Amino acid sequence: MENWNGTSGFAQYSNFQVANEDLNYKILVNGFSGNVSYDAMDNDNGYFFSTYDRDNDADLAESCAETRHSGWWHKKCTRANLNGKYQFGWGKEERNILGALS
Ligand SMILES: [Ca+2]
């Protein structure tokens, strides 16, 4: 991944599992390694996949898929958002990567 100032980094997981449709594509992800400063996917671990028309997140006040412009394993809402807009601002750029790049 690369951020707006050209800094790049990576995150790697030794375990990455997605359940079937009956379980709303629940994600189990762990075994983080990489050169970003934290594991942003840890926030999403154990959550269900949400889309614009399937609000499966843990935020009762909003649809994270709608406000974050992405289908993702949103919790409340997310720290990593690889399907989201690649943007600087409203957010922080960290919303679109797997961890903070230094
Ligand atoms: Ca919601």
Side-chain angles (χ1 to χ4, degrees):
M1 306 300 297
E2 184 175 305
N3 70 8
W4 284 87
N5 65 15
T7 304
S8 62
F10 74 97
Q12 182 173 318
Y13 297 89
S14 61
N15 182 36
F16 192 103
Q17 299 177 51
V18 178
N20 63 24
E21 182 179 6
D22 292 340
L23 293 173
N24 294 321
Y25 307 105
K26 180 178 179 176
I27 188 171
L28 294 174
V29 56
N30 54 48
F32 167 80
S33 63
N35 63 356
V36 293
S37 60
Y38 67 91
D39 175 12
M41 288 293 291
D42 184 55
N43 182 67
D44 307 315
N45 190 33
Y47 279 83
F48 305 107
F49 199 85
S50 287
T51 59
Y52 296 124
D53 59 342
R54 300 278 177 107
D55 183 357
N56 296 320
D57 63 55
D59 192 321
L60 299 178
E62 67 177 281
S63 166
C64 295
E66 189 172 329
T67 58
R68 303 301 166 90
H69 306 284
S70 72
W72 192 254
W73 296 277
H74 295 289
K75 181 181 177 184
K76 234 177 144 176
C77 284
T78 193
R79 289 164 69 188
N81 188 12
L82 300 187
N83 293 335
K85 289 182 176 178
Y86 186 59
Q87 60 184 13
F88 186 87
W90 175 65
K92 301 176 181 174
E93 57 191 297
E94 285 85 2
R95 292 185 190 283
N96 302 82
I97 62 176
L98 287 172
L101 300 173
S102 53

